[in-house]
Amino acid sequence: MRVAGVRSVNLLCRTARRLGPEIANPSRLPAVVASHVRSCLRCQADAVRYRRLRRELGSLADRIEAAPPFLLTGVEQAISAQLASSAGSRQHAHLAATIAGTAAAAASAVAVAMWRRARAAV
Amino acid sequence: MLIHQDEVFTLARRLVGDTELAADVAQEAFIRAWRALPGFRGDSQFSTWLHRIVVNAAWSMRRAQQRHRAAPLGDINQEPVATDRNPVDLAAAASMRPRLLNALAQLSSPIRAVVVLKDVYDWPHRQIADHLGITTTAAKVRLHRGRRQLHDLLWDELGSAE
């Protein structure tokens, strides 16, 4: 009987260990495991470790590391380059539109002149 | 940008675990934020919106890096690298935080990202899953593995007097 009891405790310890981080939150554990954790010092110590780990991780949110000084310089350069590039492409588009407009006007003028000459000949 | 640069860099650093890559991620995030700024409607806090951009930038840079490397950055099943610190060194150190950061850096990237977003920044599982392109179940599994690996890596420190 005593041996069976020891075995079941070991089994519950192993079960609790397999659950890992879950044992930090006894309310989410199966009742039999939760009950074991309450009475087992080794499992309690493990639960405490997991709770401390969560606390320490949570405390990292308040710890801000200083960014390297070149960080914003790089961003500003990239943004300036993009702005210059888009301004350049706008200028190119404007120039292309002007050329296309001029060409169309010239073609129209030639067409009109040819048409008039043709009419005069008739 | 000046106000948020440290915060953005810190998140990037924790996600990618490398200072140089974190600086690249932070720069990329700021450029993306600048492009997307006209579309920011203020539905969420600006810092939350910026954090999401950092996570996306970190993930796309990590993917790009994986494409250019013969060996992957990390695998979900990868075991943490064993530390070569002895108990005397552990006892000599005064604070746990540096070792916690060191242990975090030893996790594989997919696992570290979930642990950082959940346990440090308190993001919901669903949001983490959406941003990392995984299922909520996968996010929970990674979190479980990550906490377990950290617990094993920091066994002595976590058991010491608080």
Side-chain angles (χ1 to χ4, degrees):
Chain A
M1 191 69 190
R2 180 180 158 80
V3 171
V6 169
R7 273 186 190 158
S8 68
V9 165
N10 284 342
L11 182 67
L12 287 169
C13 269
R14 281 205 298 273
T15 307
R17 201 167 300 160
R18 256 203 307 275
L19 288 169
E22 306 303 321
I23 66 165
N25 195 350
S27 63
R28 288 187 184 176
L29 294 175
V32 64
V33 182
S35 162
H36 165 74
V37 170
R38 275 196 295 273
S39 62
C40 173
L41 288 177
R42 194 164 62 172
C43 291
Q44 277 178 26
D46 225 20
V48 167
R49 281 189 173 92
Y50 276 114
R51 278 191 216 110
R52 187 172 179 205
L53 174 64
R54 296 280 304 277
R55 258 203 322 279
E56 294 287 346
L57 283 168
S59 75
L60 288 181
D62 303 327
R63 185 177 177 269
I64 305 294
E65 292 180 32
F70 60 85
L71 185 76
L72 287 189
T73 319
V75 176
E76 281 163 9
Q77 280 172 354
I79 290 175
S80 303
Q82 281 196 4
L83 284 173
S85 155
S86 61
S89 55
R90 268 202 304 275
Q91 278 177 350
H92 282 138
H94 183 72
L95 188 65
T98 308
I99 291 169
T102 310
S108 304
V110 169
V112 168
M114 284 171 69
W115 176 72
R116 277 186 183 158
R117 193 174 292 174
R119 267 189 85 187
V122 171
Chain B
M1 280 200 293
L2 202 62
I3 298 168
H4 295 282
Q5 63 165 338
D6 291 343
E7 193 185 323
V8 163
F9 174 73
T10 303
L11 174 57
R13 173 91 170 73
R14 285 181 188 149
L15 287 172
V16 299
D18 173 81
T19 307
E20 277 183 33
L21 186 58
D24 289 345
V25 167
Q27 285 186 340
E28 174 66 19
F30 274 125
I31 293 165
R32 287 185 186 193
W34 172 72
R35 281 194 206 127
L37 200 56
F40 175 63
R41 291 176 300 180
D43 294 339
S44 59
Q45 276 194 347
F46 182 75
S47 59
T48 311
W49 178 76
L50 196 55
H51 281 184
R52 287 185 197 144
I53 293 176
V54 177
V55 174
N56 289 336
W59 229 234
S60 52
M61 288 190 84
R62 184 183 159 269
R63 275 198 297 266
Q65 210 180 39
Q66 275 184 329
R67 276 198 297 272
H68 291 100
R69 279 188 182 185
L73 265 180
D75 182 73
I76 189 166
N77 294 318
Q78 183 186 321
E79 290 298 319
V81 180
T83 57
D84 55 358
R85 291 170 290 145
N86 60 50
V88 178
D89 290 337
L90 292 173
S95 165
M96 184 180 169
R97 194 165 276 174
R99 286 189 300 279
L100 178 60
L101 291 171
N102 185 33
L104 263 177
Q106 289 181 54
L107 300 181
S108 67
S109 301
I111 290 180
R112 184 175 53 241
V114 176
V115 171
V116 166
L117 293 175
K118 180 65 188 164
D119 283 346
V120 181
Y121 291 94
D122 202 24
W123 281 28
H125 282 296
R126 195 185 185 121
Q127 195 180 340
I128 295 171
D130 286 348
H131 276 78
L132 301 184
I134 55 175
T135 62
T136 308
T137 308
K140 287 180 179 173
V141 169
R142 287 183 191 185
L143 180 67
H144 183 89
R145 288 183 182 170
R147 284 175 180 168
R148 189 169 216 142
Q149 288 176 5
L150 286 175
H151 169 269
D152 293 347
L153 285 166
L154 298 165
W155 173 264
D156 293 318
E157 290 93 328
L158 290 168
S160 63
E162 293 181 41

